[in-house]
């Protein structure tokens, strides 16, 4: 079997393995051969190949059950969840692992609280994190979203200081600082200009471009119906989502966070502190939620009861379903959590005459978007469908007609060279869509004081994970926000029916 870091050497014909090399013929002096150029090349190449091999091992998703496959940290083959934990984080995407990391970091003591992360799919084949396009931007219309992006940008810029693990190679998230470019028609120009003013007040470096300036900077754009554009000058672009998820997971594991593969299924309301609550004449302001979760093992009827003090719902697109299925009395589920999965397609294509290396992530007036994918004429992009045409989220199949009918015409109208593109592969992923106002919901449940939520980011969870994870950890450990005030993103707005609208949902 081949193993990493071990080179195969050819055996000499007729010489048993392990025999010493033959010496010079009798009477003939030994000569030292000059190093061959191929030997020098191999000596220089082998260290690089070893580093590449280690990087691939770190970045490939888990290959469960395959001989030689990589096992995610904290997921020993056949391991069971512990019988008790202080905090159980349901959902092992980048948001869940960020919460777990910040909990242990801010606790700042050895052998402290026991934190368990539960992920039902350790291969992450359906995870929103790794199926996203990896964008980060500062151009939002809500102050809290801008502040979270600025926090996350600083975090990613210094990622090794935060998530570096001793004796492991530096973290390379492959950040491409090409910026975001939003285009607005005459109808949306005033709104975009007002949003840019807010962003500047929050410290964002963003430029407003007239059609003439836009054409001068990006000559490949058709500007006929563009009234104004906003272009991010700093801390915007895209990066590799899997690397960030893996970095959070490795660091959290090194700090003592436990993890397991399993699924929390609808037993959250079947075990309570004391006697089960009777239907009240009027719902109390607080009640004690369940303290025992049942974690079902994969491909098995077996489950493990886990006693815990705090449950953090970081289940992303399934956060709403998890709470609905929790078996809680109806009066505890009001208001309902308005988070549901929405399927989004990402298409790739090749166009050798398309925009060059300076191509940003462009968001068209129609809502279609695209960005460069590498440096050799490859691109990826898509568009969110109208509400009434949402695809069935029951699976991750791709409708290629959607590209032909909805995406390609819009892109070819904006970038004429795309008229001759060649479509490549495609995939689908999930948005944890908040139907109430398309913003994240953070903090404790209004009636279940030890159930916390961090979900509903509607496509922005990857870039806001560092900030949101720290905010929830602060709230749990210290009872208040310290780094960022995200109080307006709590459950209160759902109870009072006051949405916080975000214009910059792509």
């Amino acid at each position: 079997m081949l193993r990493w870091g071990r080179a195969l050497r050819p055996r000499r014909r007729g010489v048993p393995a392990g025999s010493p090399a033959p010496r010079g013929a009798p009477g003939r002096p030994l000569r030292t051969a000059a190093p061959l150029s191929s030997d020098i090349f191999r000596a220089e190449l082998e260290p690089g190949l070893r580093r590449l091999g280690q990087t691939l091992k770190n970045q490939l998703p888990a290959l469960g059950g395959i001989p030689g496959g990589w096992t995610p940290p904290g997921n020993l083959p056949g391991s069971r969840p512990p019988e008790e934990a202080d905090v159980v984080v349901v959902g092992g995407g980048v948001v869940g692992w960020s919460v777990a990391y910040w909990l242990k970091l801010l606790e700042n003591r050895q052998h402290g609280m026991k934190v368990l992360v539960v992920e039902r799919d350790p291969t992450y084949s359906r995870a929103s994190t790794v199926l996203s396009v990896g964008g980060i931007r500062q151009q939002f219309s809500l102050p809290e979203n801008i502040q979270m992006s600025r926090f996350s940008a600083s975090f990613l810029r210094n990622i090794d200081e935060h998530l570096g693990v001793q004796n492991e190679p530096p973290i390379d998230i492959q950040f491409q600082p090409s910026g975001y470019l939003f285009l607005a028609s005459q109808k949306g120009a005033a709104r975009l200009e007002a949003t840019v003013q807010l962003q500047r007040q929050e410290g964002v470096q963003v430029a407003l471009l007239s059609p003439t300036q836009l054409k001068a900077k990006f000559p490949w754009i058709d500007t006929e119906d563009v009234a104004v554009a906003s272009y991010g000058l700093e801390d915007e672009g895209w990066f590799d989502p899997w690397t960030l998820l893996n970095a959070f997971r490795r660091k959290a594991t090194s700090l003592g966070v436990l993890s397991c593969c399993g699924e929390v299924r609808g037993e959250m309301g079947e075990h309570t502190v004391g006697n089960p609550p009777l239907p009240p004449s009027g719902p109390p302001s607080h009640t004690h939620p369940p303290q025992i979760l049942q974690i079902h093992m994969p491909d098995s009827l077996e489950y493990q009861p886990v006693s815990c003090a705090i449950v953090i719902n970081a289940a992303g697109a399934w956060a709403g379903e998890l709470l609905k299925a929790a078996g809680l009395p109806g009066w505890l589920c009001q208001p309902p959590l308005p988070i549901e999965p929405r399927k989004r397609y990402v298409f790739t294509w090749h166009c050798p005459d398309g925009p060059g290396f300076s191509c940003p992530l462009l968001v068209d007036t129609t809502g279609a978007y695209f960005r460069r994918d590498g440096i050799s004429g490859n691109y990826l992009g898509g568009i969110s469908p109208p509400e009434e045409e949402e695809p069935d989220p029951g699976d991750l199949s791709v409708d290629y007609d959607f590209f032909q009918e909805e995406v390609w015409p819009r892109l070819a109208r904006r970038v004429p060279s795309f008229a001759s593109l060649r479509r490549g592969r495609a995939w689908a992923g999930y948005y944890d869509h908040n139907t109430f106002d398309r913003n994240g919901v953070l903090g404790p449940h209004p009636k279940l004081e030890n159930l916390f939520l961090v979900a509903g980011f509607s496509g922005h969870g990857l870039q806001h994970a560092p900030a949101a994870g720290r905010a929830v950890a602060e709230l749990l450990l210290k009872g208040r926000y310290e780094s960022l005030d995200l109080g307006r993103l709590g459950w209160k707005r759902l109870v009072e029916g006051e949405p916080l609208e975000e214009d910059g949902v792509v």
Side-chain angles (χ1 to χ4, degrees):
M1 179 181 295
L2 292 178
R3 299 186 182 276
W4 288 106
R6 178 177 295 178
L8 293 178
R9 306 188 192 283
R11 290 180 56 183
R12 297 184 300 278
R13 189 181 301 273
V15 179
S19 299
R23 304 185 64 84
R28 187 176 297 176
L30 289 173
R31 285 186 173 181
T32 302
L36 298 176
S37 59
S38 60
D39 294 335
I40 298 175
F41 176 74
R42 184 173 60 184
E44 295 176 348
L45 182 62
E46 283 184 349
L49 289 176
R50 283 195 295 270
R51 288 194 299 270
L52 175 61
Q54 185 62 48
T55 300
L56 290 174
K57 287 170 65 179
N58 290 344
Q59 294 187 359
L60 283 174
L63 304 175
I66 298 177
W70 173 70
T71 302
N75 285 279
L76 298 178
S79 66
R80 297 175 60 89
E83 294 184 357
E84 60 181 24
D86 297 303
V87 180
V88 174
V89 180
V90 184
V94 69
V95 173
W97 277 106
S98 174
V99 173
Y101 158 75
W102 284 112
L103 282 173
K104 294 301 292 183
L105 187 76
L106 297 181
E107 181 193 29
N108 196 28
R109 68 189 183 98
Q110 291 185 338
H111 312 298
M113 75 174 99
K114 182 184 289 186
V115 179
L116 172 67
V117 175
V118 182
E119 170 56 43
R120 63 181 179 179
D121 177 21
T123 69
Y124 291 93
S125 59
R126 295 165 57 89
S128 301
T129 299
V130 297
L131 295 173
S132 74
V133 299
I136 181 171
R137 57 185 164 101
Q138 316 297 305
Q139 296 183 69
F140 286 94
S141 65
L142 196 70
E144 287 83 353
N145 287 335
I146 298 171
Q147 292 161 13
M148 282 194 288
S149 286
R150 286 178 56 77
F151 180 97
S152 295
S154 175
F155 182 92
L156 296 179
R157 192 184 302 112
N158 302 289
I159 189 167
D160 270 306
E161 297 178 12
H162 299 289
L163 302 183
V165 176
Q166 189 174 8
N167 297 326
E168 292 198 4
I171 302 167
D172 180 11
I173 61 170
Q174 302 170 46
F175 178 58
Q176 301 292 316
S178 297
Y180 270 64
L181 179 66
F182 283 83
L183 309 184
S185 63
Q186 192 64 48
K187 180 180 178 181
R191 183 70 177 173
L192 182 62
E193 291 174 359
T195 301
V196 167
Q197 292 305 314
L198 171 64
Q199 293 161 1
R200 288 173 174 171
Q201 292 172 12
E202 294 290 340
V204 177
Q205 298 296 313
V206 58
L208 278 172
L209 304 177
S210 68
T212 301
Q213 293 171 319
L214 179 63
K215 188 69 174 179
K217 184 165 185 60
F218 303 109
W220 41 267
I221 294 179
D222 185 329
T223 62
E224 182 179 349
D225 60 340
V226 177
V228 68
S230 63
Y231 179 48
L233 304 175
E234 186 178 79
D235 292 336
E236 291 195 340
W238 53 90
F239 60 92
D240 179 45
W242 174 255
T243 300
L244 180 62
L245 169 61
N246 197 40
F248 264 121
R249 183 169 54 179
R250 284 180 174 275
K251 183 63 175 182
T253 302
S254 74
L255 295 175
V257 174
L258 305 175
S259 66
C260 70
C261 176
E263 183 176 2
V264 176
R265 295 185 197 162
E267 288 83 5
M268 292 172 62
E270 297 182 9
H271 302 270
T272 59
V273 178
N275 296 320
L278 298 175
S281 56
S285 58
H286 289 85
T287 187
H288 288 289
Q291 286 192 317
I292 297 180
L293 299 179
Q294 293 187 11
I295 301 177
H296 288 250
M297 304 295 100
D299 302 319
S300 172
L301 297 177
E302 191 178 7
Y303 67 86
Q304 170 71 50
V306 178
S307 175
C308 63
I310 300 290
V311 177
I312 297 177
N313 182 348
W318 293 271
E321 293 183 9
L322 180 66
L323 196 58
K324 288 178 185 176
L328 300 172
W331 56 272
L332 284 179
C333 299
Q334 299 299 321
L337 183 59
I339 298 174
E340 59 185 39
R342 293 287 177 88
K343 184 163 74 170
R344 293 292 179 264
Y345 305 123
V346 180
F347 299 94
T348 69
W349 61 91
H350 179 72
C351 182
D353 299 324
F357 188 73
S358 63
C359 175
L361 195 155
L362 182 147
V363 183
D364 189 37
T365 57
T366 61
Y369 73 90
F370 79 92
R371 69 164 172 84
R372 177 175 49 79
D373 185 23
I375 58 175
S376 56
N378 296 316
Y379 307 87
L380 60 79
I383 187 174
S384 294
E387 188 80 17
E388 63 277 8
E389 298 178 10
E390 284 287 345
D392 181 5
D395 59 45
L396 289 178
S397 60
V398 175
D399 180 4
Y400 286 93
D401 290 338
F402 186 78
F403 179 82
Q404 297 291 124
E405 298 168 3
E406 304 295 337
V407 180
W408 188 11
R410 290 173 170 84
L411 294 176
R413 169 68 182 84
R414 185 60 59 205
V415 184
S417 61
F418 282 166
S420 59
L421 61 79
R422 187 175 74 252
R423 195 195 69 207
R425 66 188 183 96
W427 68 88
Y430 289 115
Y431 274 14
D432 54 337
H433 187 79
N434 180 354
T435 60
F436 184 68
D437 60 9
R438 304 191 295 181
N439 280 306
V441 183
L442 290 80
H445 189 281
K447 300 169 185 174
L448 302 171
E449 59 189 5
N450 57 350
L451 172 63
F452 284 70
L453 178 75
V454 52
F457 294 96
S458 304
H460 307 137
L462 175 67
Q463 60 183 297
H464 288 163
R470 173 161 186 141
V472 171
E474 289 173 349
L475 205 57
L476 195 154
L477 293 174
K478 304 177 182 181
R480 64 185 185 279
Y481 292 117
E482 290 188 344
S483 53
L484 297 174
D485 184 1
L486 302 181
R488 292 204 304 164
L489 295 179
W491 288 76
K492 183 178 179 181
R493 74 184 198 274
L494 305 181
V495 176
E496 297 178 351
E498 297 180 355
L500 295 173
E501 296 294 345
E502 170 57 60
D503 295 334
V505 176
V506 179

